[in-house]
Amino acid sequence: MDAQALRNTEKNLFKNNNIGIMSPGSMGSALARQWQTLGLHTLTALDGRSARTKALARKSGIADVCTLEQLTECDVILSVMSPGSALPFARDLASAIQTTQRKPLVVDCNAIAPDTMQAVREAIESAGADCVDGAMMGQPPTPTEKSRLFVSGPRAHELMALATPQLSVHVVSERVGDASAVKMLDAVMSKGITALMVQMLVAAHRLGVADALNQQCEGPRRYFYDWIHRTLPIMPPKSYRWVPEVEEIARTLESAGVDGNMMRASAALYDAVARTPLGQETSEQRIAAARSGIEVARQLVASLER
């Protein structure tokens, strides 16, 4: 597609100048703020949602239209939520689309396996709307933090209209499932390695050799040892969401004929962490506590069942 055709497609994407975001959590709220700088109206539907989610929406300037039926008035609707909710939400949204007969472009940006993405696509297309496969990479975009949105599918190029200085958009291919595959395999290097390193730290503390392990780490080992202590504090409050994501990673590996048991073991670890006091905290409580990685490791050792 030439540059002029791309500009025309992007211009035609937003007829009502609005975009729906489900749901306005940390990532959804950050994306809304980016697209508000483009002059887009950001909407969501929060009937039955928590007070925290509603407060995040208000703080981010996202208007609550209450129901999914009302949300279908948007030109584009993005699904940004826990992986375990992706397919049920797609089916609920499909039902709303069938009721209203409006045809928003639906973009699933959840951390799901390509096979799950295909099920999402089937649900949306059965209602007569189009669906794009999306994958958010990196932390939520902020004035100081850049993020990347990978997209794939026949209409993926239209999402170039959502790019901002802090959010780049990358078209992977015209195949639905490819963006999700990139997301899942990339996550092996974060969720998988984190789980393995947490197991190492817990074992080191229980066996009484944590200090000796620290002292012997040199070269590349020192990088990984320091890395897990820097990143460990953010993990426990997120671990309940990482369980379904890691299970989706296992499905992705297995779809390629690769054993997914290591990732399934990681999911079991994150499930155990989610049930600890640290895992029950909100992200806001975690930030306020300002614990070091060493302190988090010691608390996990004390609270994880043997």
Side-chain angles (χ1 to χ4, degrees):
M1 178 174 291
D2 61 34
Q4 183 60 49
L6 179 58
R7 285 193 294 270
N8 290 338
T9 301
E10 293 172 359
K11 182 178 179 181
N12 292 333
L13 179 60
F14 292 102
K15 296 180 175 63
N16 299 315
N17 209 41
N18 54 33
I19 186 168
I21 302 173
M22 289 294 295
S23 64
S26 298
M27 179 63 78
S29 296
L31 291 173
R33 287 189 287 269
Q34 290 296 307
W35 296 327
Q36 288 161 7
T37 68
L38 300 178
L40 294 174
H41 303 300
T42 52
L43 310 176
T44 192
L46 298 181
D47 274 5
R49 302 304 298 268
S50 69
R52 176 179 180 271
T53 299
K54 292 180 179 180
L56 283 171
R58 287 193 299 271
K59 184 178 180 180
S60 302
I62 306 173
D64 180 13
V65 298
C66 299
T67 68
L68 289 182
E69 285 75 16
Q70 289 294 108
L71 197 67
T72 62
E73 293 184 359
C74 291
D75 301 301
V76 178
I77 298 175
L78 280 91
S79 173
V80 187
M81 55 186 63
S82 173
S85 302
L87 185 53
F89 170 74
R91 290 168 175 160
D92 289 343
L93 181 58
S95 178
I97 291 171
Q98 287 177 325
T99 297
T100 64
Q101 290 299 298
R102 302 187 187 102
K103 311 298 182 187
L105 177 61
V106 179
V107 187
D108 185 291
C109 294
N110 299 302
I112 55 177
D115 288 350
T116 307
M117 183 61 227
Q118 292 294 347
V120 167
R121 177 191 190 182
E122 291 170 5
I124 297 301
E125 291 186 348
S126 70
D130 290 335
C131 184
V132 171
D133 179 13
M136 287 303 308
M137 302 290 192
Q139 297 300 311
T142 68
T144 59
E145 188 80 39
K146 293 186 177 182
S147 301
R148 302 173 304 284
L149 172 60
F150 281 57
V151 290
S152 67
R155 295 184 63 185
H157 60 275
E158 297 180 44
L159 276 299
M160 294 297 292
L162 296 179
T164 72
Q166 301 306 119
L167 176 68
S168 57
V169 180
H170 305 267
V171 178
V172 180
S173 73
E174 293 191 353
R175 296 189 305 180
V176 169
D178 284 359
S180 288
V182 172
K183 171 68 175 180
M184 290 290 89
L185 298 178
D186 178 80
V188 172
M189 295 183 283
S190 54
K191 310 304 189 298
I193 292 176
T194 296
L196 189 62
M197 297 293 285
V198 168
Q199 289 177 319
M200 176 200 73
L201 290 177
V202 170
H205 281 278
R206 285 180 176 170
L207 295 173
V209 296
D211 290 341
L213 180 64
N214 179 26
Q215 292 169 9
Q216 80 85 36
C217 284
E218 298 177 353
R221 288 184 178 85
R222 171 52 57 188
Y223 169 83
F224 283 107
Y225 190 86
D226 291 344
W227 171 81
I228 189 59
H229 281 94
R230 288 195 308 271
T231 60
L232 187 57
I234 72 171
M235 182 269 285
K238 296 182 178 181
S239 58
Y240 77 97
R241 290 192 289 110
W242 287 10
V243 174
E245 179 175 349
V246 171
E247 290 173 344
E248 292 290 316
I249 296 172
R251 293 188 184 99
T252 302
L253 295 173
E254 290 164 354
S255 72
V258 177
D259 194 324
N261 284 332
M262 184 177 294
M263 298 310 301
R264 295 193 185 281
S266 298
L269 172 68
Y270 290 131
D271 181 62
V273 171
R275 290 184 274 106
T276 67
L278 289 177
Q280 296 295 313
E281 289 182 338
T282 65
S283 294
E284 292 82 0
Q285 289 172 326
R286 185 268 301 173
I287 292 171
R291 301 182 188 90
S292 68
I294 293 176
E295 184 178 357
V296 170
R298 288 172 176 165
Q299 289 194 30
L300 286 178
V301 169
S303 55
L304 285 172
E305 295 181 2
R306 297 193 65 137

